């Protein structure tokens, strides 16, 4: 089957981030990297970068890339439900977490967990899911690292501002 994904389309092109996209994608392709967290202050473009990387890598995961927007999630206990919902899972009698780990167990996909910083108490769940599903990788965006075993950090540098003094003038 074709890989399914639910990546939102970017409204504007991502300018000036080719190096970062390539570096993040290369890091995620490494067999030893299962969890990569893009960190940085608000407004550095972590979400946009994670989407660009997910679009670039979706085809290299049999089951595609899935974007989970965590900004609207208020309670860390609701993170499993938010992930399950984004993956199109229905809650089973066993509960949401067993259903989620069972669903992911034999999947090969990239989970993009966006805006994790206010849900840090739920971070151990990420480890739990990755432990249960050896072919799943997670790309997280957060203002701070999750402090998880095996986590790799990619600090997102602020976008370089255009140097207006070096732009060609209208006279030239």
């Amino acid at each position: 089957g074709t890989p399914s994904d639910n990546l939102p389309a970017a409204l504007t092109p991502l300018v000036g981030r080719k190096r970062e996209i390539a570096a993040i994608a290369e890091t995620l392709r490494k067999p030893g990297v299962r969890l990569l967290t893009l960190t940085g202050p608000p407004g550095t473009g972590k979400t946009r970068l994670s989407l660009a990387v997910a679009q670039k890598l979706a085809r290299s995961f049999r089951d595609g890339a899935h974007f989970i927007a965590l900004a609207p999630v208020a309670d860390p206990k609701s993170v499993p439900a938010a992930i399950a919902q984004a993956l199109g899972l229905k809650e089973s009698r066993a509960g949401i977490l067993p259903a989620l780990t069972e669903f992911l167990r034999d999947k090969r996909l990239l989970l993009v967990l966006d805006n994790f910083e206010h849900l840090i108490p739920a971070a151990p769940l990420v480890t739990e899911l990755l432990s249960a599903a050896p072919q799943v990788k997670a790309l997280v965006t957060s203002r701070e690292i999750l402090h998880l075993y095996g986590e790799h950090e990619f600090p997102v540098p602020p976008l370089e501002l255009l140097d207006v003094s070096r732009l060609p003038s209208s006279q030239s």
Side-chain angles (χ1 to χ4, degrees), residues 38-164:
L38 307 184
T39 58
T44 46
K46 298 179 295 292
T47 298
R48 289 293 308 279
L49 262 178
S50 71
L51 281 169
V53 170
Q55 274 155 349
K56 186 182 176 83
L57 291 180
R59 303 227 175 299
S60 45
F61 289 88
R62 184 186 68 214
D63 300 300
H66 296 268
F67 183 82
I68 295 97
L70 295 174
V73 178
D75 182 357
K77 289 189 202 66
S78 302
V79 171
I83 296 172
Q85 188 181 0
L87 294 171
L89 269 184
K90 303 275 175 274
E91 188 160 356
S92 71
R93 278 203 301 277
I96 205 77
L97 198 53
L100 194 52
T101 48
E102 187 54 41
F103 174 81
L104 289 172
R105 191 175 314 282
D106 56 356
K107 294 285 188 284
R108 294 184 58 170
L109 57 81
L110 177 64
L111 283 177
V112 181
L113 301 168
D114 186 45
N115 284 312
F116 213 103
E117 58 276 334
H118 63 293
L119 299 164
I120 298 292
L125 165 76
V126 178
T127 305
E128 202 176 323
L129 293 178
L130 293 178
S131 302
Q135 302 295 314
V136 170
K137 293 192 178 202
L139 177 60
V140 176
T141 72
S142 176
R143 292 176 196 175
E144 54 182 285
I145 60 168
L146 307 188
H147 301 283
L148 294 174
Y149 177 77
E151 179 179 22
H152 297 258
E153 181 185 9
F154 187 95
V156 176
L159 264 173
E160 289 170 28
L161 295 172
L162 287 173
D163 183 351
V164 285

